[in-house]
Amino acid sequence: MLYFGKTDHKGELLWEKILGERGTVPYGMETDSKGNIYITGYTTGNVYGKENPGRIGACDGTFQFGPVGESTCPTPFIIKTDKNGEVLWSDVWGTDAVTIEPGLRIIIDENDDAYVLSRTGGRAGIPSDTSNIKKFNSAGKVLWEKEIDRFSGFLKAVGNIIIDKNGNLVVLGVKREVKVSPIEGFVLALDRGTGNILAEKGFSGENTISFGDIIEYDEGFFVFGGNDTDYH
């Protein structure tokens, strides 16, 4: 289950909440302009009246995230609460395939729209990872959904997402053309209104390169960090 709480500036606990069913794990959290709280991660159960689309027992013996015969494979979720931790709405999505699908990051724009960055990995019979961005308005309606399929290859996995000073989404990730090739980094710019890709840039070395975080320090200029086993 998901535990979260609120403290005052002295660290004194004001309230605490248990959200979701067993197998609900948070990865990202944000607040909007009204102080509401948004949480994303993965779950192997249902989330506040939203039925998990995953198939019970699909990961039994493969990726074991819960009791045999009782849990789905991990699927992404979003929960919105008010500033006191009371649930306002939630959603859970994914597939009934043998996959691991965590919601990794969540960001909120000035209109209180939420963007959830998720990743699918370990799909049986399909040797690739894919990534997804899903946009919700403040009432929980899905405005658009975009799979990051711009790059062909064995691996396409996202790591972080920000909104730049022009209001575009900027996504940081990695890709690999074939299973034995080096992992390469990439940055994508996407239109916030539609999810369409506006620009792309790849970075590679002789060995493995991966990205972890990105910031915009001036309009149109970014700093990002990660790991390159072939320093150059």
Side-chain angles (χ1 to χ4, degrees):
M1 296 182 180
L2 186 160
Y3 170 89
F4 81 122
K6 180 179 180 180
T7 69
D8 63 17
H9 66 285
K10 296 180 180 180
E12 296 295 327
L13 184 65
L14 300 177
W15 53 257
E16 56 186 344
K17 299 287 183 180
I18 300 294
L19 302 179
E21 297 181 355
R22 180 173 55 188
T24 301
V25 178
Y27 274 38
M29 183 180 295
E30 265 292 354
T31 57
D32 66 14
S33 64
K34 300 178 179 63
N36 298 311
I37 303 164
Y38 297 73
I39 307 168
T40 191
Y42 76 74
T43 183
T44 59
N46 299 324
V47 177
Y48 285 93
K50 295 291 185 177
E51 185 175 352
N52 194 319
R55 176 167 50 88
I56 296 294
C59 278
D60 288 354
T62 305
F63 310 111
Q64 201 65 53
F65 284 85
V68 174
E70 298 182 18
S71 305
T72 71
C73 294
T75 55
F77 72 86
I78 181 174
I79 297 174
K80 179 181 179 179
T81 77
D82 64 19
K83 61 184 179 180
N84 296 311
E86 299 299 323
V87 175
L88 300 176
W89 54 262
S90 64
D91 200 4
V92 58
W93 63 98
T95 71
D96 63 358
V98 181
T99 59
I100 303 171
E101 302 182 66
L104 297 174
R105 299 284 189 273
I106 186 167
I107 56 174
I108 311 297
D109 67 18
E110 73 278 5
N111 300 316
D112 292 338
D113 293 334
Y115 305 80
V116 176
L117 189 66
S118 64
R119 171 181 170 180
T120 299
R123 184 175 299 176
I126 304 176
S128 66
D129 285 13
T130 60
S131 300
N132 181 278
I133 303 173
K134 201 164 188 175
K135 180 179 180 178
F136 299 83
N137 68 11
S138 60
K141 179 182 178 181
V142 177
L143 300 180
W144 53 259
E145 184 172 6
K146 178 74 174 181
E147 183 173 283
I148 304 299
D149 57 358
R150 180 71 169 176
F151 297 106
S152 62
F154 179 84
L155 174 71
K156 300 182 292 293
V158 290
N160 211 343
I161 184 171
I162 63 172
I163 298 175
D164 70 15
K165 294 178 181 179
N166 291 319
N168 299 314
L169 300 175
V170 180
V171 177
L172 191 67
V174 295
K175 70 185 183 80
R176 174 184 278 173
E177 294 302 329
V178 294
K179 190 172 183 178
V180 296
S181 66
I183 296 175
E184 302 175 353
F186 69 82
V187 178
L188 296 178
L190 300 96
D191 183 275
R192 193 175 66 178
T194 64
N196 292 333
I197 293 175
L198 302 174
E200 62 186 69
K201 178 66 176 180
F203 302 87
S204 64
E206 292 183 7
N207 294 305
T208 297
I209 186 169
S210 62
F211 291 154
D213 205 357
I214 184 170
I215 60 172
E216 183 179 22
Y217 74 92
D218 199 359
E219 185 173 327
F221 294 87
F222 301 91
V223 176
F224 45 86
N227 176 63
D228 185 355
T229 59
D230 173 42
Y231 176 77
H232 59 284

